[in-house]
Amino acid sequence: MSSAKDVQGPRARGPEAAPGPGPELPARDRGADPEPPPPGGVLWSLSGDIRALLMLPAALTLQVAHPAVGAGVDEHSVFRTDPWGRGERSLRSLQLWVYGGEQAAEEGRRLRVLHRTIRGTDTRGRRYHALTPAYYAWVHATGFPVYQHAARYLIRPMAPAQERALYAEWLQVGRILGIHDRDMPQTVEEFWPYWKKMLAEEIEATTVVRELVDVDQPVPPPDRGPWPLRPVLRALWPVLLPPLARFRRFVTIGLMPPDARAAVGLPWSAEQEKRLRRMCAVLRVFVPVLPERLRYLPRARAARAVWAAEARRNG
């Protein structure tokens, strides 16, 4: 495995941390599954909102900006051949972490098993394994700064108490994924130095990052959705793909925290910033007045309905 100096993260690990079956739950949690974030919390409202879909590309791009993670995705992922299926599975997994109840921990175990065989050598010549603690923690860590930053545009800036609550809930999600507390900063104050260190020493424009923001990258037409719509999309795809690719690039770069954007080397102009702010201002007005069935993703909507019904019975 990589030497300790090569593995960047909250706690660098050396050869003695060579992955076996992957991270297990912290000792204090063995015998009991970790709890998902609480109903009514910050993540409960944020991650199921349809506006969160616009935040995900920035987080996913930051994940693969780490050379080891980027190499793993480049060599082992089906994102090129099955982008729609991969996106659907990723979204389903994320929703289970927050709204899945008892299924949350089960999903965490499934992901660890899925990643056990992912290993290789990154562009810096370092051997990697998907479950190396520092790499696995980075993949999870990217969600917090993207949520915190993008919410300023799409929803509203978070008060300090909300930001602390979001980070505490994101740590809970990390435990569901099997990340030890020792491998993640435990407070917001500890997180930001870790974040800056990662941006300065690890993050770069990997091959996968360049592909994700390339407007000319070939993408197959959607193979999901209502059957009658699929042939129409296939026929119109040559016309639809270019503007969709430009929009994907726009929200990916625009909703990425500026310091991360600079670390990766992604360009962003003052005019693009104005366009992003105008778009988000419309969404801040429009989305909150939508009915629940249109504002929230299906799993989030169902979980919120159950929680509201229980609250009424108990209240």
Side-chain angles (χ1 to χ4, degrees):
M1 286 303 297
S2 305
S3 66
K5 68 178 181 180
D6 288 334
V7 181
Q8 304 296 329
R11 290 285 185 91
R13 298 291 186 94
E16 70 278 7
E24 299 300 333
L25 296 177
R28 57 178 168 73
D29 288 332
R30 289 174 189 161
D33 286 336
E35 292 290 331
V42 180
L43 272 177
W44 189 264
S45 298
L46 182 60
S47 64
D49 189 302
I50 57 172
R51 289 170 288 186
L53 295 175
L54 297 176
M55 306 177 190
L56 296 181
L60 295 171
T61 302
L62 270 179
Q63 291 172 8
V64 298
H66 190 295
V69 181
V73 171
D74 187 22
E75 297 170 5
H76 298 275
S77 175
V78 296
F79 81 98
R80 296 184 182 96
T81 57
D82 185 24
W84 303 102
R86 183 180 185 274
E88 181 181 65
R89 291 188 293 273
S90 296
L91 182 60
R92 174 186 177 276
S93 188
L94 190 155
Q95 294 289 289
L96 280 173
W97 306 341
V98 178
Y99 303 105
E102 293 180 357
Q103 296 180 61
E106 181 181 338
E107 176 65 7
R109 287 189 288 270
R110 185 190 72 83
L111 289 174
R112 295 196 294 278
V113 170
L114 183 68
H115 287 81
R116 283 177 180 173
T117 60
I118 299 177
R119 64 183 73 220
T121 304
D122 70 15
T123 55
R124 300 184 185 182
R126 303 175 300 190
R127 287 186 295 168
Y128 71 83
H129 187 289
L131 294 176
T132 296
Y135 304 157
Y136 197 53
W138 169 253
V139 171
H140 175 60
T142 57
F144 168 70
V146 170
Y147 272 146
Q148 185 257 8
H149 174 71
R152 299 175 184 173
Y153 288 80
L154 289 163
I155 301 173
R156 68 177 66 86
M158 292 187 185
Q162 291 175 308
E163 184 176 318
R164 290 175 183 279
L166 173 62
Y167 191 73
E169 292 174 21
W170 202 238
L171 287 178
Q172 286 180 256
V173 172
R175 296 178 189 117
I176 287 170
L177 298 177
I179 298 172
H180 294 269
D181 282 353
R182 65 175 176 266
D183 294 315
M184 278 289 290
Q186 291 299 292
T187 66
V188 171
E189 289 79 9
E190 294 174 354
F191 177 82
W192 294 119
Y194 156 69
W195 170 251
K196 291 177 181 178
K197 179 179 175 66
M198 293 295 291
L199 295 184
E201 299 181 7
E202 283 288 342
I203 303 312
E204 62 184 42
T206 63
T207 297
V208 182
V209 166
R210 292 194 294 271
E211 288 188 29
L212 290 177
V213 297
D214 182 1
V215 297
D216 296 320
Q217 192 69 21
V219 178
D223 57 0
R224 302 295 195 275
W227 279 102
L229 188 59
R230 296 184 195 180
V232 177
L233 288 174
R234 281 197 298 270
L236 294 177
W237 196 238
V239 177
L240 295 174
L241 178 57
L244 288 174
R246 290 192 295 270
F247 180 74
R248 178 191 63 192
R249 176 184 172 90
F250 177 69
V251 297
T252 298
I253 300 176
L255 293 178
M256 188 178 291
D259 52 354
R261 186 193 303 150
V264 180
L266 297 173
W268 188 249
S269 68
E271 179 56 34
Q272 287 174 310
E273 180 69 16
K274 291 179 184 177
R275 286 170 49 205
L276 178 67
R277 290 179 181 273
R278 287 196 297 266
M279 181 192 78
C280 292
V282 172
L283 292 174
R284 285 199 306 271
V285 173
F286 176 69
V287 174
V289 300
L290 292 174
E292 185 98 352
R293 60 187 175 82
L294 297 178
R295 180 178 174 182
Y296 289 96
L297 298 170
R299 185 173 293 275
R301 188 170 65 246
R304 288 170 61 87
V306 170
W307 177 56
E310 290 179 351
R312 286 193 297 270
R313 285 197 300 270
N314 297 330

